[in-house]
Amino acid sequence: MKKIELEIIALSHSVTQSHSFAVVLGEVDGTRRLPIVIGGFEAQAIAVALENMKPSRPLTHDLMKTVCDTFALELQYIYISKLLDGVFYSNLVFTNSIETCEVDSRTSDALALAVRFGCPIYVNENILEEAGVEADAGAEGAPASETDLEKKIEELTAAAPASPKAGSNYAGMNDEELNEALQSALEHEDYERAARIRDELNKRQ
C-alpha cells in the first residue's frame, strides 16, 4: 500500500462545539487535507509543542519522549494505517541500535509525539482518498475548497462529544491582560486555555 507523507498545517475547533477539536493534516507536495477529530488533552499537547510553549512540568508526551531519549529509542515516523467506522488507527515506528519495531497508538497521541520528535507522518493512500478533502486553487487563484474543509471539520467535530468546560472570550482583553492570562494558564498547567490565549495573541500580530 502506497504511503503519503503529511504535515500538520492547523489545529481547528468547532464553531458550534467550542471544545471540539480537529487537527488538519496536509499532503506534502499535494493539495489534499485530512482532518482528524482529537480530544482536548491531545489538542493541548500538540499546541504546546507547535507553539514551543514551556510547561512548568512535563506533559505525558514530553515524558514519553524523555524516556525514549534516555533509552536511545528514536521515533522514525508515525503511520496512519487504518480507518474503521470513522476511527483512525496508527502505528509508531521506533528504532534503536539493534532493531525496528512498531507500536499501536491512538492517532492523536501519535501526532503529539511526532511533533516532539520532528519525525515524518504517513498515511495509507486509500485513507486519504476516502477521508481527505481537496484544497486546490480555484478558477481565479483563490483557495477554492477551504469551505469544503471547514464544513468537513464542522461535521466531524459536531459529531464528537463536547467538553463540559466552559470557554472564555479573550477578544475583549488587551495584549497585556492576555499575556498575564497566558502566564497564569501555564503556571496552573491549563494548556487548553493557554493555547486559546496564544491563538488570540497570534491573530493580532
Side-chain angles (χ1 to χ4, degrees), residues 14-184:
S14 169
V15 174
T16 57
Q17 301 285 342
S18 61
H19 288 276
S20 293
F21 297 88
V23 58
V24 181
L25 304 175
E27 181 181 15
V28 174
D29 298 324
T31 60
R32 289 175 290 184
R33 304 289 183 258
L34 182 66
I36 299 176
V37 174
I38 58 175
F41 174 78
E42 291 78 12
Q44 294 176 40
I46 293 171
V48 164
L50 287 175
E51 297 292 338
N52 294 313
M53 296 181 189
K54 301 299 180 186
S56 56
R57 299 168 64 193
L59 301 180
T60 303
H61 300 93
D62 298 320
L63 176 61
M64 184 170 179
K65 184 177 188 304
T66 300
V67 171
C68 290
D69 291 344
T70 301
F71 292 97
L73 280 174
E74 180 67 25
L75 182 59
Q76 292 294 299
Y77 61 90
I78 74 165
Y79 176 39
I80 304 171
S81 57
K82 185 168 61 174
L83 175 59
L84 184 62
D85 296 328
V87 178
F88 293 90
Y89 293 80
S90 294
N91 295 86
L92 307 172
V93 180
F94 286 101
T95 61
N96 57 23
S97 57
I98 301 172
E99 61 183 344
T100 298
C101 62
E102 291 192 20
V103 179
D104 183 39
S105 171
R106 294 190 310 165
T107 299
S108 53
D109 289 326
L111 291 170
L113 286 171
V115 175
R116 284 161 172 79
F117 279 90
C119 71
I121 301 165
Y122 293 103
V123 65
N124 267 340
E125 186 172 29
N126 65 322
I127 295 175
L128 194 56
E129 289 175 354
E130 178 182 347
V133 178
E134 282 287 348
D136 206 347
E140 298 182 7
S145 299
E146 289 304 318
T147 19
D148 293 338
L149 178 59
E150 289 165 5
K151 287 178 183 176
K152 179 78 169 179
I153 291 171
E154 192 59 36
E155 288 172 5
L156 292 170
T157 53
S163 166
K165 186 176 179 180
S168 298
N169 180 13
Y170 299 109
M173 299 171 67
N174 61 40
D175 288 359
E176 183 178 351
E177 290 170 333
L178 284 172
N179 280 304
E180 289 177 359
L182 176 60
Q183 185 60 39
S184 174

